[in-house]
């Protein structure tokens, strides 16, 4: 089934209200470089006969912030798999393998079997041959991916969990600080990708999470951000200006 680019909120509501239809939502923006690769993956999946039962909806997160807010989208690429008004899976980050596995999970199960909804962590490992998915990364490839991830948004937070469901107190505090200062930020859940989790420790030379990057420049963890804010209430704006000026 071809990709459907959302052009209005009414169109989105109509398409997502179709009963017994598996729907894959793909949130993207024009400025996020990781979306370039994912655009090709989504297009390939939509044209693949393996997924002719799936409706692929493409949403520009900047053009439709009200739709993005419904799913708490604060970073792109972002995927949501829904059916009958129920969210089955949410995925953040440019990992095509994880998205393909999630699709396989919900398309390969019998329609009468509620197990995928109750136990979404049981992901099938088989991927369609029509989609090229990276297997093992070399150190150089990992570093290149980390460089892309740390610049995926002007302010990027690498945390445990998601902003709507942090998986540690430090990550929860960092999210609260960013929201308190009305900072628009992207995020990456390091619990979903151990390569990023371990690689970022060496990349930033910082052993713990959360980690905050501004303009692609590592700023520190929770304590350092708190300290910087105590000295400069406009720290986020000034750090972004400084990072952009140094490019």
């Amino acid at each position: 089934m071809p990709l459907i680019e959302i052009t209005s909120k009414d169109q989105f509501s109509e398409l997502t209200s179709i009963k017994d239809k598996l729907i894959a939502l793909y949130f993207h923006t024009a400025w996020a470089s990781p979306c370039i690769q994912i655009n090709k993956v989504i297009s390939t999946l939509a044209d693949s006969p393996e997924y002719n039962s799936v409706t692929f909806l493409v949403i520009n997160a900047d053009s439709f912030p009200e739709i993005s807010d419904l799913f708490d989208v604060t970073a792109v690429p972002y995927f949501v798999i829904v059916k009958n008004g129920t969210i089955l899976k949410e995925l953040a980050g440019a990992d095509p393998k994880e998205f393909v596995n999630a699709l396989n999970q919900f398309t390969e199960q019998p329609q009468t079997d509620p197990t995928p909804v109750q136990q979404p962590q049981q992901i099938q490992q088989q991927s369609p041959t029509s989609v090229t998915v990276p297997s093992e990364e070399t150190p150089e490839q990992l570093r290149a991916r980390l460089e892309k991830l740390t610049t995926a948004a002007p302010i990027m937070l690498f945390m445990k969990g998601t902003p709507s469901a942090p998986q540690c107190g430090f990550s929860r505090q960092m999210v609260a600080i960013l929201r308190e200062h009305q900072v628009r930020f992207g995020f990456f859940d390091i619990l979903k990708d151990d390569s990023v989790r371990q690689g970022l420790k060496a990349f930033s030379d910082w052993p713990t999470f959360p980690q905050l990057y501004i303009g692609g420049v590592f700023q520190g963890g929770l304590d350092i951000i708190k300290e910087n804010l105590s000295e400069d209430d406009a720290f986020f704006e000034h750090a972004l200006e400084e990072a952009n000026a140094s490019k």
Side-chain angles (χ1 to χ4, degrees), residues 1-182:
M1 179 175 290
L3 293 174
I4 300 176
E5 182 81 34
I6 294 300
T7 57
S8 70
K9 188 175 180 180
D10 289 341
Q11 177 199 26
F12 175 81
S13 299
E14 179 181 350
L15 291 173
T16 53
S17 63
I18 299 175
K19 291 185 177 181
D20 299 325
K21 187 70 175 179
L22 191 66
I23 303 170
L25 311 179
Y26 165 49
F27 291 87
H28 71 102
T29 65
W31 51 262
S33 56
C35 292
I36 297 174
Q37 176 195 11
I38 298 300
N39 290 344
K40 298 176 182 178
V41 173
I42 291 293
S43 180
T44 301
L45 290 173
D47 291 337
S48 172
E50 289 98 331
Y51 303 108
N52 57 12
S53 62
V54 181
T55 297
F56 293 86
L57 304 184
V58 181
I59 305 110
N60 188 310
D62 286 339
S63 301
F64 297 98
E66 67 276 16
I67 298 177
S68 301
D69 289 344
L70 289 174
F71 299 94
D72 198 22
V73 177
T74 56
V76 290
Y78 196 89
F79 307 97
V80 184
I81 300 176
V82 299
K83 185 176 182 180
N84 292 330
T86 300
I87 295 176
L88 305 179
K89 190 82 172 181
E90 294 179 276
L91 302 168
D95 187 344
K97 182 177 180 180
E98 189 175 12
F99 178 59
V100 169
N101 286 340
L103 279 179
N104 288 342
Q105 176 191 6
F106 297 111
T107 56
E108 292 177 355
Q109 296 289 340
Q111 295 301 314
T112 56
D113 185 0
T115 303
V117 179
Q118 296 175 353
Q119 298 179 340
Q121 69 274 18
Q122 296 180 356
I123 299 176
Q124 300 292 329
Q125 294 302 314
Q126 183 178 1
S127 300
T129 56
S130 58
V131 179
T132 302
V133 178
S135 52
E136 294 186 6
E137 288 178 303
T138 65
E140 293 76 16
Q141 289 173 329
L142 176 59
R143 183 171 184 83
R145 185 156 70 100
L146 293 176
E147 290 175 351
K148 289 183 178 180
L149 286 173
T150 54
T151 57
I155 298 180
M156 276 293 297
L157 174 63
F158 293 83
M159 62 179 293
K160 295 181 179 180
T162 66
S164 59
Q167 296 301 306
C168 78
F170 298 115
S171 292
R172 184 177 296 106
Q173 289 184 58
M174 184 73 88
V175 169
I177 288 172
L178 291 166
R179 287 178 170 170
E180 178 186 352
H181 287 79
Q182 298 181 336

Side-chain angles (χ1 to χ4, degrees), residues 156-215:
M156 276 293 297
L157 174 63
F158 293 83
M159 62 179 293
K160 295 181 179 180
T162 66
S164 59
Q167 296 301 306
C168 78
F170 298 115
S171 292
R172 184 177 296 106
Q173 289 184 58
M174 184 73 88
V175 169
I177 288 172
L178 291 166
R179 287 178 170 170
E180 178 186 352
H181 287 79
Q182 298 181 336
V183 174
R184 185 179 183 183
F185 64 97
F187 76 95
F188 187 93
D189 182 0
I190 53 97
L191 296 179
K192 291 185 176 181
D193 193 321
D194 196 58
S195 294
V196 171
R197 181 179 184 177
Q198 300 303 327
L200 204 60
K201 294 178 181 179
F203 186 82
S204 62
D205 195 21
W206 194 260
T208 60
F209 293 93
Q211 295 184 12
L212 190 71
Y213 280 76
I214 298 181

